Amino acid sequence: MSTFTFLRLAGVSAARCSGSSSFLAQRLGASAPLTSAVVQRKNLSLTPAKTGRTYGPQEESEKVDDIHHWVNERYAAAFLIPVIPAAIIFPNPVLDTLLIGGMVLHTHWRLSGVVQDYIHGPVLFKIGRLLVLALSICTFGSMCYFNYSDIGFARFIRLVYSQL
């Protein structure tokens, strides 16, 4: 509880507090002066404002590229809406490949956005992008291998949900 709230609850006004410390000592039962507890003095220091952005697109052409990338991500998400039920209802290798291709592309773009937004520095940023690229390539390759050498991704999803 702050000092001002305590004093207000005790019935002491701010005008009476600034007058004499003996009144506060008598009112609150303290022997030491309490003016330093009532009026806190803080020095105000201002820092200069930063004029530019720290991260993000600086050039107009970079802003346009980011907008086009965002629109392409929405197209990939809209593409997945009919492909997911179609691949599960009619499982075949073509729909399985379209499904995993769209899912891996959509996930790759989102993970790249996370790396771009949250990993800073020249070295860590490049390592993060390379890790996302390697993860996406390995994921797509392993899913294609699963599609053509085993039962396929959509049949696997149907099998998992039928066993639940």
Side-chain angles (χ1 to χ4, degrees):
M1 183 180 287
S2 71
T3 305
F4 287 120
T5 306
F6 177 73
L7 291 175
R8 189 181 69 227
L9 290 175
V12 179
S13 67
R16 293 168 69 185
C17 290
S18 61
S20 69
S21 60
S22 62
F23 171 76
L24 285 176
Q26 293 171 1
R27 178 80 172 172
L28 299 176
S31 59
L34 296 175
T35 54
S36 63
V38 174
V39 180
Q40 295 178 357
R41 297 185 185 244
K42 294 183 181 179
N43 293 334
L44 179 65
S45 63
L46 299 175
T47 57
K50 190 175 248 189
T51 58
R53 291 179 61 174
T54 304
Y55 301 105
Q58 298 292 329
E59 306 276 332
E60 191 64 33
S61 63
E62 290 179 5
K63 292 178 185 177
V64 171
D65 290 341
D66 287 341
I67 291 171
H68 288 298
H69 183 70
W70 184 85
V71 169
N72 289 336
E73 288 177 359
R74 302 292 79 81
Y75 286 146
F79 167 76
L80 284 172
I81 291 172
V83 170
I84 291 171
I88 292 174
I89 294 170
F90 309 110
N92 62 47
V94 174
L95 286 176
D96 283 348
T97 304
L98 286 175
L99 177 62
I100 64 164
M103 287 174 46
V104 169
L105 181 66
H106 184 68
T107 306
H108 173 76
W109 281 341
R110 284 296 80 220
L111 287 177
S112 296
V114 169
V115 167
Q116 183 177 2
D117 290 343
Y118 296 109
I119 298 179
H120 304 293
V123 177
L124 287 176
F125 179 71
K126 289 179 182 177
I127 291 172
R129 287 183 62 190
L130 286 174
L131 286 175
V132 167
L133 182 63
L135 179 69
S136 299
I137 290 171
C138 290
T139 302
F140 184 73
S142 62
M143 294 299 285
C144 284
Y145 178 78
F146 182 72
N147 277 344
Y148 292 105
S149 66
D150 207 341
I151 61 173
F153 185 68
R155 283 194 179 103
F156 172 74
I157 296 297
R158 288 176 81 177
L159 181 67
V160 165
Y161 278 105
S162 68
Q163 299 297 322
L164 290 179

